[in-house]
Amino acid sequence: GQNIDQPTEMTATEGAIVQINCTYQTSGFNGLFWYQQHAGEAPTFLSYNVLDGLEEKGRFSSFLSRSKGYSYLLLKELQMKDSASYLCAVRNTDKLIFGTGTRLQVFP
Amino acid sequence: SQTIHQWPATLVQPVGSPLSLECTVEGTSNPNLYWYRQAAGRGLQLLFYSVGIGQISSEVPQNLSASRPQDRQFILSSKKLLLSDSGFYLCAWGLTGGVSSQPQHFGDGTRLSIL
């Protein structure tokens, strides 16, 4: 079966660092994506990992361990506009399998 | 650059009525096309995807159908809507040919409410 798990909700303070975890068990793996989705809007692409290790992109970083079926998204210097849902998705051939998403609330 | 258009943005329909949602992509040829549904507070569920004209794969059994009459046009339809069809419908496109690092790109979505 296909299973992707993320925490449902997280809270953090403006200026802090937050780590959103994602674990997966899928029949195939061609990479892992993180998307950001503000309420009522479409998801937008944040990052992609296919090899083990850390990918850094400005305030956002994403880590992958294929042997552990584990990824995390790290958000630094949090801003109020970072309040959104963060979706983890595993690529399996031409398809993406999404987790249920983590709703992050950033407080002043 | 590539763009994806999806309409309408919101739709309110009575139970039992038909549905047609349309999605078009510009700036690329032979894209993979996808329809997703997102229930309130939930993740994205893949409904259909297409790798070419007339080629449709269905991921979940339901009373919805999809068609791809042209290379860059993807239509989601239903003959009779159910209450459970309410949700946020998203169209997406991606590159074909196993370009794994390329993400899927989403349209702005259609919020469908069934009364």
Side-chain angles (χ1 to χ4, degrees):
Chain A
Q2 320 278 31
N3 199 39
I4 299 178
D5 287 319
Q6 304 177 236
T8 304
E9 289 195 7
M10 298 183 72
T11 59
T13 305
E14 196 174 13
I17 299 173
V18 71
Q19 178 175 312
I20 302 174
N21 296 325
C22 171
T23 58
Y24 64 89
Q25 288 179 304
T26 56
S27 57
F29 182 84
N30 298 109
L32 188 143
F33 293 83
W34 284 95
Y35 282 82
Q36 180 190 60
Q37 185 180 25
H38 284 100
E41 298 182 9
T44 55
F45 168 69
L46 287 178
S47 70
Y48 169 76
N49 295 71
V50 68
L51 299 177
D52 290 353
L54 190 68
E55 294 284 340
E56 295 187 80
K57 207 186 261 190
R59 293 190 299 115
F60 292 4
S61 303
S62 56
F63 171 84
L64 175 68
S65 168
R66 288 171 297 171
S67 62
K68 294 181 180 177
Y70 168 69
S71 173
Y72 68 71
L73 179 69
L74 193 71
L75 292 76
K76 303 176 187 174
E77 301 168 18
L78 279 172
Q79 302 174 8
M80 297 298 292
K81 67 178 182 179
D82 296 329
S83 292
S85 289
Y86 292 85
L87 311 178
C88 171
V90 170
R91 181 175 181 134
N92 186 352
T93 60
D94 282 330
K95 299 186 287 186
L96 287 183
I97 306 158
F98 282 86
T100 53
T102 299
R103 186 178 169 213
L104 173 66
Q105 287 187 285
V106 180
F107 293 100
Chain B
S1 64
Q2 302 90 357
T3 56
I4 178 167
H5 303 280
Q6 186 182 342
W7 67 93
T10 59
L11 191 59
V12 180
Q13 293 282 97
V15 169
S17 62
L19 173 74
S20 181
L21 302 180
E22 190 162 342
C23 171
T24 59
V25 179
E26 296 176 358
T28 187
S29 296
N30 195 31
N32 286 348
L33 296 173
Y34 306 85
W35 278 112
Y36 292 88
R37 177 170 59 204
Q38 187 174 35
R42 304 286 296 276
L44 273 67
Q45 180 186 34
L46 180 62
L47 301 176
F48 300 96
Y49 74 97
S50 171
V51 299
I53 296 175
Q55 299 179 63
I56 309 293
S57 296
S58 173
E59 291 295 299
V60 293
Q62 60 215 320
N63 69 323
L64 299 170
S65 62
S67 61
R68 185 170 178 174
Q70 300 180 47
D71 181 43
R72 290 168 289 178
Q73 184 185 27
F74 205 25
I75 298 171
L76 183 69
S77 303
S78 174
K79 292 181 180 177
K80 275 185 157 183
L81 285 167
L82 306 173
L83 281 173
S84 57
D85 291 324
S86 292
F88 191 43
Y89 287 81
L90 288 155
C91 180
W93 75 272
L95 292 176
T96 116
V99 186
S100 296
S101 64
Q102 294 299 313
Q104 291 180 14
H105 302 275
F106 289 84
D108 289 337
T110 296
R111 187 157 305 281
L112 175 64
S113 299
I114 310 299
L115 303 179

